Amino acid sequence: MRMETIYPFTAVVGQEQAKKALLIALVNQKAGGLLIGGAKGTAKSVLARSCAELAGGRRLLTLPLNVTEDMLFGSIDIEYAVSLGEKRFSPGILARATDNILYIDEANLLRQELLTAVLDANSAGVNNVERDGISFSHAVRTTLIATMNPEEGTLPPHILDRFGMYVDVQALTDVQERVEIMQRALAYSRNILDFRRRYAEETQQLAAKLAAARELLPQVMASDAMLMLAAQLCAQAYCAGHRAELYLLEAARALAALAGRSYVLPKDIEEAAQFVLPH
């Protein structure tokens, strides 16, 4: 992805819930990633790709829908084996995505067993490869961002459950906002560099805020009272299993860090619940 052609995150009109969820995901990888659902033309992909220049040096890697298991998880380095007669592991996309951002556009169209394996590996923090006489393991620490159009098919509950956060984006109904979208789209198409310059300062400020939040995150603590509140909200939402509590706590910690605090408040838990509990 060419950074100089990215539509700026700060130039996207509306969609505040999706923006906040993306900021949480960029601050705290342990929040479990984000799935953005919505009809076509609602800026899902634009927002996801715009995260590349807010990521603090991390790369955004796109997972193609036609990805194979070898491309994703890694395989034997054939060229090395032929030239030197030795087997060597060639890392896949999942290895390259570690400490970076992995973006899946139209995640509901990806083979479900591959999507499940990616989510499980990221949750476990490790990818174990056993094939062709090679045994290899590597760490998996990626910020997972995915989009989907429910009109093209939905994901089953057991896969939705593996995403830490979900947000649904809708087409804006305010006439002035729709006009603003057209004006910005036209300005972008006429002169990309000039358009990006208009939002450069705001983008830099947001990137700096995210960097500060990531640095503060390890110091952010949640009291027993906040743990109790998280558990109560998850119980009231009839959440299956206990992933929700952990994702809720991590999302709340990210919100506290974004606010410049080293402690979690009830409002952090309640705001995080908007993204963690719906799915």
Side-chain angles (χ1 to χ4, degrees):
M1 178 181 295
R2 294 174 57 195
M3 200 72 71
E4 63 270 19
T5 63
I6 293 175
Y7 192 94
F9 183 95
T10 53
V12 176
V13 178
Q15 308 301 359
E16 299 306 321
Q17 287 290 89
K19 289 178 181 177
K20 179 57 71 72
L22 282 165
L23 296 183
I24 293 171
L26 291 174
V27 168
N28 191 356
Q29 181 261 324
K30 292 182 180 179
L34 170 65
L35 175 62
I36 305 174
K40 60 183 179 181
T42 50
K44 302 185 304 296
S45 299
V46 171
L47 276 170
R49 293 190 177 100
S50 70
C51 290
E53 59 182 340
L54 299 175
R58 292 174 291 175
R59 292 184 298 144
L60 188 145
L61 292 83
T62 299
L63 187 66
L65 293 180
N66 63 349
V67 67
T68 65
E69 291 187 13
D70 284 353
M71 290 168 59
L72 181 57
F73 300 110
S75 63
I76 288 180
D77 187 334
I78 299 298
E79 187 176 328
Y80 185 88
V82 169
S83 61
L84 297 179
E86 298 177 9
K87 291 182 179 181
R88 185 175 74 172
F89 182 74
S90 177
I93 294 173
L94 200 55
R96 297 196 298 275
T98 291
D99 294 327
N100 289 301
I101 301 168
L102 184 61
Y103 171 52
I104 308 175
D105 193 17
E106 298 181 316
N108 50 321
L109 303 183
L110 183 67
R111 285 167 50 195
Q112 289 189 4
E113 65 271 23
L114 293 184
L115 180 56
T116 300
V118 169
L119 290 162
D120 284 348
N122 199 37
S123 177
V126 64
N127 175 36
N128 296 309
V129 181
E130 299 277 352
R131 60 174 58 187
D132 302 321
I134 280 186
S135 178
F136 187 83
S137 297
H138 66 80
V140 180
R141 296 181 306 272
T142 185
T143 297
L144 185 62
I145 298 173
T147 58
M148 74 171 190
N149 181 354
E151 295 176 354
E152 299 173 343
T154 58
L155 291 171
H158 75 276
I159 294 181
L160 283 174
D161 180 62
R162 286 169 165 80
F163 282 97
M165 296 180 289
Y166 175 84
V167 65
D168 186 53
V169 295
Q170 302 289 336
L172 302 180
T173 57
D174 181 81
V175 173
Q176 190 54 51
E177 286 185 322
R178 294 176 75 100
V179 169
E180 185 65 25
I181 290 172
M182 289 188 290
Q183 291 173 336
R184 294 187 187 186
L186 290 170
Y188 175 79
S189 65
R190 282 194 296 265
N191 191 324
I192 294 175
L193 294 181
D194 181 64
F195 183 82
R196 283 178 48 79
R197 276 194 290 268
R198 296 187 204 175
Y199 296 91
E201 183 177 353
E202 195 176 352
T203 298
Q204 291 169 2
Q205 290 174 351
L206 182 56
K209 180 179 179 179
L210 287 170
R214 284 193 293 270
E215 186 173 345
L216 177 60
L217 184 68
Q219 303 172 39
V220 177
M221 305 298 292
S223 66
D224 289 344
M226 295 302 98
L227 299 183
M228 180 66 72
L229 177 58
Q232 288 174 343
L233 290 175
C234 292
Q236 291 169 4
Y238 300 103
C239 294
H242 300 284
R243 281 196 185 100
E245 283 97 329
L246 298 175
Y247 290 146
L248 180 55
L249 181 62
E250 295 296 347
R253 291 180 64 238
L255 286 168
L258 283 164
R261 284 185 275 102
S262 60
Y263 51 91
V264 174
L265 292 175
K267 65 180 182 180
D268 300 321
I269 299 286
E270 291 163 0
E271 185 175 5
Q274 299 176 41
F275 309 117
V276 174
L277 299 186
H279 61 300

